[in-house]
Amino acid sequence: MAASSPVSKTIYLGPFAHCVTLAELEICEKGVIGVDEQGVIRFVEKEVEIEDLRAKFEGWEDANVVEARNGFFFPGFIDTHTHAPQHPNTGLFGKTTLLDWLDTYTFPLESSFSSIDKASRIYTNFVSRTLSHGTTTCAYFATRHVEATNLLADICLARGQRALVGRVCMDRLSPDYYRDESVERAVRDSQACIDYVRSIDAAGSIVRPIITPRFAPSCTAPCLAGLGKLAQETDAFIQTHVSENTSECELVKELFPDSASYTHVYEEAALLTPKTILAHAIHLSPEERKLIKERGSKISHCPASNTALTSGCCPVRELLNEGLTIGLGTDVSGGFSPSILEEVRHAIWTSRFVAMGTPTASTPTLNNAAKLSTAEALYLATRGGAAVVGLEDQVGGFEVGKQFDAQMIQLGSVPEEGDREGAFGEEGAGGPVDLFGFESAEEKVEKWVYSGDDRNCVAVWVRGRLVHKTARYKA
Ligand SMILES: O=c1[nH]c(=O)c2nc[nH]c2[nH]1
Ligand SMILES: [Zn+2]
């Protein structure tokens, strides 16, 4: 589906849900959202009877009407951290942990993106996959290759998916066949990608560049400093990894013996800014968290990856209590799914593992305060993520003035006894979520969160433009 399809004035009719605050998930059963030709939300009504529709919205008599049946509209998901070139390795991690996983699976695959044909095949497929799971904005790590990185930006722009696209920098501790030959090269190639992405979308309304040092162990101090300087000169976003795995943290201590902490390595290179996204952040000290907060840098929580690579359980509830800004990341292929809905579930599970902890004599009971609620995890997936990628004024919820980045969720109705056809005709067409008719609006959302998948995501819009639909979508 091309992003060039025109946007018509449209009234989105039917239930919608969105997170108003971290604690509050608002669900409106008789919702109406009016979106203009620029994809901007012009009105939001929460209690409208269908019969009143045309009369009520003067000037909107000719608007299209798109109705959510047996489901609801939900804001598009924001994936604050993933690796597009690692998509073919999804599900392949065995019993590795971070450092051997990089050597075994990741570097060999990423290095092959010198082939633009290969990059084209994988990136086209991955952007389709993330869109089909309702991801309307994505922060992508690409590879070292300028041409392939620029191609990823082209694909996101053509498909209409908002993206931050970054060329990965690494000038040490990676194989000879996959390493920046010098600091100058890392900075020059990063600059080339920034220039390219800004040349294809000067306003940055869909694609924006992001400076991407892979992580401290694979960058020398001069390389990190060169990228920090580049970030200042270009006012670009920055993304990297921090404190994911204890062996990695030890390695950083060895490589940067004069730095007070892992986070200080980035601080010393001027890489901690309000436009910085730090992935994982599992093993941070209180001082490091304080520094990140002071700098206004953001955190991408990647719970599926953290469990797959046995990196640890990030104490997200604590970080939220401390006022850090947090979104969710799929971190493919450390993570094994391109779905932020899956990450919502993993964020909730991880918070429960933190809550269960290891009972000790001093804390023998469950630490309920560590748990994330469904609403809180959905907040991280939408509004929290929007703040991480600098789009908090534009997307993440349904308010007048925001842009319509949304997904239409449709659930399955189990037929009444005697109704052999069923609500959606063929069996299984309702996806994995079965409704029996008793469910409240809240229960429908809960059922989707815990057992839904991309089959329930029947249409996706970015700035009011339809960017993905399934056969079940009937406009
Ligand atoms: O989850 C991760 N994925 C990666 O590709 C990577 N590189 C450094 N550190 C990393 N962590
Ligand atoms: Zn990562």
Side-chain angles (χ1 to χ4, degrees):
M1 179 167 293
S4 50
S5 49
V7 177
S8 325
K9 222 167 166 182
T10 303
I11 294 174
Y12 294 88
L13 175 68
F16 70 81
H18 66 161
C19 299
V20 183
T21 63
L22 182 59
E24 190 193 344
L25 175 69
E26 182 180 46
I27 305 177
C28 302
E29 292 201 64
K30 294 179 177 175
V32 177
I33 302 172
V35 177
D36 71 13
E37 294 88 339
Q38 276 69 50
V40 176
I41 298 174
R42 289 294 167 202
F43 56 82
V44 178
E45 296 283 336
K46 298 177 181 173
E47 279 295 331
V48 174
E49 298 297 337
I50 296 186
E51 306 79 66
D52 298 347
L53 195 64
R54 300 272 174 196
K56 191 162 168 107
F57 302 111
E58 221 187 299
W60 287 71
E61 293 83 358
D62 300 331
N64 285 337
V65 175
V66 173
E67 191 177 348
R69 290 183 311 118
N70 223 37
F72 50 90
F73 296 101
F74 196 78
F77 286 137
I78 295 170
D79 187 343
T80 58
H81 179 86
T82 201
H83 299 259
Q86 296 177 21
H87 176 45
N89 277 350
T90 298
L92 310 181
F93 51 87
K95 283 193 173 181
T96 55
T97 52
L98 176 64
L99 300 176
D100 55 322
W101 170 80
L102 283 170
D103 286 331
T104 311
Y105 295 100
T106 307
F107 294 148
L109 175 59
E110 286 193 14
S111 67
S112 67
F113 278 61
S114 49
S115 160
I116 201 73
D117 290 340
K118 181 167 184 178
S120 173
R121 178 165 177 247
I122 293 167
Y123 286 159
T124 301
N125 181 247
F126 193 53
V127 172
S128 294
R129 272 274 171 247
T130 55
L131 278 172
S132 70
H133 283 85
T135 297
T136 47
T137 304
C138 200
Y140 287 112
F141 277 56
T143 62
R144 282 193 51 242
H145 311 95
V146 173
E147 196 184 1
T149 301
N150 292 345
L151 176 68
L152 176 57
D154 286 335
I155 293 167
C156 294
L157 185 60
R159 295 295 311 273
Q161 183 184 52
R162 291 183 204 264
L164 286 160
V165 178
R167 177 216 178 256
V168 172
C169 298
M170 40 203 287
D171 71 332
R172 72 157 162 202
L173 280 196
S174 33
D176 295 344
Y177 62 81
Y178 190 49
R179 185 188 300 186
D180 287 322
E181 67 207 27
S182 65
V183 173
E184 293 67 36
R185 184 71 192 267
V187 173
R188 181 162 39 94
D189 284 358
S190 297
Q191 175 84 62
C193 289
I194 293 170
D195 293 345
Y196 181 78
V197 173
R198 288 184 172 164
S199 77
I200 60 170
D201 186 359
S205 47
I206 294 291
V207 287
R208 294 173 292 161
I210 183 161
I211 293 171
T212 307
R214 174 164 223 121
F215 66 157
S218 62
C219 295
T220 59
C223 182
L224 293 173
L227 296 172
K229 183 162 171 281
L230 182 65
Q232 275 166 350
E233 288 164 0
T234 56
D235 192 29
F237 271 75
I238 299 163
Q239 61 183 350
T240 190
H241 301 87
V242 75
S243 207
E244 174 177 0
N245 161 291
T246 50
S247 305
E248 169 210 16
C249 295
E250 287 306 312
L251 183 58
V252 171
K253 268 190 212 154
E254 274 170 40
L255 295 169
F256 298 89
D258 298 331
S259 295
S261 71
Y262 194 156
T263 305
H264 279 86
V265 172
Y266 295 139
E267 162 77 351
E268 285 147 17
L271 285 166
L272 286 189
T273 77
K275 290 183 161 184
T276 300
I277 306 171
L278 298 166
H280 302 289
I282 302 173
H283 307 286
L284 297 174
S285 67
E287 293 72 31
E288 289 179 278
R289 294 179 191 176
K290 191 160 164 276
L291 178 60
I292 291 169
K293 183 162 180 230
E294 275 167 16
R295 293 292 170 266
S297 299
K298 315 295 194 287
I299 287 175
S300 174
H301 176 41
C302 307
S305 167
N306 294 345
T307 303
L309 299 182
T310 44
S311 302
C313 293
C314 182
V316 170
R317 203 72 202 59
E318 254 173 57
L319 302 191
L320 286 169
N321 291 345
E322 290 170 18
L324 288 160
T325 303
I326 307 176
L328 297 181
T330 56
D331 196 26
V332 166
S333 63
F336 46 83
S337 165
S339 162
I340 283 290
L341 187 62
E342 183 81 43
E343 255 3 273
V344 165
R345 292 192 276 265
H346 282 277
I348 294 167
W349 297 159
T350 294
S351 76
R352 276 154 170 72
F353 293 130
V354 173
M356 290 186 281
T358 311
T360 62
S362 57
T363 52
T365 51
L366 191 65
N367 174 15
N368 248 323
K371 284 189 196 167
L372 283 180
S373 66
T374 307
E376 287 168 330
L378 288 174
Y379 180 95
L380 299 184
T382 54
R383 234 178 254 270
V388 169
V389 298
L391 294 176
E392 61 275 26
D393 296 334
Q394 295 180 46
V395 301
F398 298 131
E399 281 108 37
V400 172
K402 281 212 160 77
Q403 299 184 5
F404 189 70
D405 282 23
Q407 47 185 319
M408 186 200 274
I409 304 303
Q410 200 170 93
L411 308 172
S413 276
V414 174
E416 298 284 337
E417 277 164 55
D419 174 5
R420 303 184 63 143
E421 278 291 298
F424 291 108
E426 90 211 61
E427 201 180 330
V433 184
D434 293 330
L435 298 182
F436 289 84
F438 67 84
E439 294 86 353
S440 67
E442 288 75 17
E443 287 168 338
K444 287 179 189 168
V445 174
E446 296 269 346
K447 281 192 156 190
W448 166 62
V449 167
Y450 291 97
S451 52
D453 66 20
D454 54 336
R455 285 168 285 179
N456 301 109
C457 177
V458 296
V460 180
W461 294 264
V462 172
R463 305 179 83 209
R465 176 167 285 129
L466 189 64
V467 292
H468 169 77
K469 66 176 171 157
T470 69
R472 290 177 64 203
Y473 172 68
K474 307 269 182 295

